[in-house]
Amino acid sequence: MWTSHEVEANGLRIHYLRTGGHLPPLVLAHGATDSGACWGRVAAALSDRYDVIAPDARGHGQTDAPAEDYSRTTMAADLAAFIHALGIEHPIVAGHSMGAATVLTLISTHPEIARAAILEDPGLRIGGGDAARMTAMRARMRDEQAQRQTMSHAEVVAAGQASHPLWHDDDFDAWADAKHRVSPNFLAPANVSPAPDWQSQLPRVTCPVLLVRADAAPLADGAVTAESAAVAQGLCPTLEVAHVPGAGHNVRREQFDAFMAAVDSFLARHA
């Protein structure tokens, strides 16, 4: 479906997957401890209409893993340099979770780059406690990774299937492989990055944006609530919201058809 490549950008050797073809470019940024390959089902659904390009972020997949500097600002600079290195002009950029925060930072600091953007459940939380939450989340990730390193690929897949009953079977192979490839540098306590100040970023965004939000319940792990989505719309006139009922933080994995319907509609209007 796609081919594997590497490119030098922002001082990194960045690995990426690409479907190719003379089609509108769509760049996908994955979430924390995932990899570009975790966009496989989305790429398969869109590769007949778009040149889908999925890089591995620093410290993930087969991309270099520096000892430090995993801030969203740096990751956005990586993504900007990656797009420039490939000579891509005005792509649509999309991201999930950490990747969505990276994309939001990109379009707020480099408004000339993207034609449009899609944000799958980014961390648009209202209220304090972000630093403590990020520290606790990384500590949990480190514990999970330590356990996974003692498990085989098949065992990680089986554990994922037990924990995520709404996911499609095709999601787990790339997900498990990504978990074994995450660098300890990314998860190091010294490299915990504060959550971006999205309320100051959104007023600087000028391109069309699709914000895909999940449910806060019953799965209780959606990062964007109805309240924060309304605040986001008030801050960014070009932003529209798609609510996908029955999904948690991994919107596309838990409600793939509804996610793709929202994305297809947005892409048809802005690609």
Side-chain angles (χ1 to χ4, degrees):
M1 181 182 63
W2 49 14
T3 54
S4 175
H5 309 269
E6 292 181 353
V7 67
E8 293 285 333
N10 204 31
L12 292 180
R13 179 187 53 84
I14 297 178
H15 172 263
Y16 65 100
L17 300 170
R18 187 171 193 171
T19 60
H22 298 290
L23 300 166
L26 172 62
V27 178
L28 305 177
H30 62 78
T33 75
D34 277 358
S35 70
C38 291
W39 288 103
R41 291 188 73 204
V42 173
L46 296 175
S47 61
D48 62 333
R49 288 163 287 158
Y50 302 93
D51 176 11
V52 183
I53 305 159
D56 296 339
R58 60 172 54 207
H60 294 74
Q62 299 177 60
T63 288
D64 287 343
E68 56 188 17
D69 197 357
Y70 287 83
S71 70
R72 298 293 177 268
T73 301
T74 298
M75 288 189 164
D78 291 344
L79 191 57
F82 171 79
I83 290 169
H84 286 310
L86 294 189
I88 304 170
E89 294 187 2
H90 303 299
I92 291 178
V93 290
H96 169 235
S97 190
M98 177 190 79
T102 299
V103 167
L104 177 54
T105 303
L106 174 77
I107 61 178
S108 67
T109 56
H110 299 78
E112 77 289 350
I113 287 183
R115 180 185 306 274
I118 300 169
L119 309 177
E120 180 190 353
D121 205 41
L124 308 189
R125 291 176 172 85
I126 296 175
D130 277 343
R133 181 182 58 79
M134 293 295 291
T135 298
M137 182 177 67
R138 286 296 180 87
R140 185 181 71 250
M141 286 182 179
R142 284 194 296 275
D143 291 343
E144 291 172 345
Q145 286 302 108
Q147 183 179 10
R148 287 166 181 149
Q149 293 308 311
T150 69
M151 301 164 67
S152 69
H153 179 85
E155 289 171 333
V156 176
V157 167
Q161 289 171 328
S163 299
H164 303 289
L166 296 181
W167 294 18
H168 192 278
D169 284 347
D170 290 347
D171 284 323
F172 289 103
D173 191 60
W175 176 84
D177 180 70
K179 299 302 177 267
H180 275 148
R181 291 181 180 271
V182 177
S183 170
N185 293 341
F186 170 70
L187 295 171
N191 287 333
V192 174
S193 177
D197 182 6
W198 59 273
Q199 294 187 61
S200 68
Q201 290 178 325
L202 279 170
R204 301 198 300 269
V205 172
T206 57
C207 69
V209 179
L210 175 65
L211 172 62
V212 184
R213 76 174 187 89
D215 281 337
L219 301 181
D221 64 349
V224 180
T225 64
E227 180 187 9
S228 59
V231 171
Q233 283 187 296
L235 293 170
C236 180
T238 62
L239 183 144
E240 60 186 87
V241 178
H243 173 219
V244 179
H249 183 53
N250 290 278
V251 184
R252 72 182 188 278
R253 287 161 162 157
E254 292 165 1
Q255 296 293 335
F256 183 79
D257 290 342
F259 174 83
M260 290 306 304
V263 167
D264 276 332
S265 173
F266 180 79
L267 290 175
R269 287 178 279 124
H270 298 294

